[in-house]
Amino acid sequence: MKRGRVFWAIVFGGMLAITGCGDEGDGDSNGTGASSGTGGMTGTGGMTGTGGMTGTGGMTGSSNDTCEAICNSACAFQGVDPDANQCLTSCQVGLANFVNDGCGPEADAYLDCIEGFDCNPEANQCQSEAIAWGTCLAL
């Protein structure tokens, strides 16, 4: 090999080593922002961490049933006002089929979606959430 090519091979090899063009560090399966690191699957903000799927504010931190979801939302729904003093009681009396239905997470997702569209329950953008909630109610 010529001296120039050896020199450039060493330079580029050194650059790869410096930039960390490997499997470790930020964004990989063990580093920050990765599957098991901060912001990852099991880390802070990840799937099971704070703010994640099963963490504080995550999926399992959601409502237990549809009445609870309605009272936790910003949208009045089927005559139940979430801002009323007795919202949960009003829902349980007026919409008894939504009590202990086990569809709180689906109802949360649907109500969160329609909130972005002026609390319009007919919003086309929320059809998948409405279908998921309806499917849960049908079970």
Side-chain angles (χ1 to χ4, degrees), residues 7-8 20 29 31-32 37 39 43 45 48 55 60 69-70 79 90 93 95 111 124 129:
F7 172 75
W8 288 112
S29 61
T32 304
T48 58
T60 60
I70 292 170
S90 175
V93 170
L95 303 172
L111 292 166
N124 289 330
E129 290 86 351

Side-chain angles (χ1 to χ4, degrees), residues 75-137:
C75 300
F77 188 75
Q78 294 194 1
V80 177
D81 182 4
D83 294 329
N85 288 336
Q86 300 294 322
C87 177
L88 199 53
T89 301
S90 175
C91 183
Q92 290 169 341
V93 170
L95 303 172
N97 56 324
F98 290 161
V99 178
N100 296 322
D101 60 15
C103 297
E106 293 82 1
D108 281 334
Y110 174 63
L111 292 166
D112 286 346
C113 183
I114 67 170
E115 182 179 344
F117 299 97
D118 296 324
C119 294
N120 179 6
E122 303 295 322
N124 289 330
Q125 298 86 344
C126 301
Q127 286 181 350
S128 62
E129 290 86 351
I131 291 169
W133 176 52
T135 301
C136 179
L137 289 172

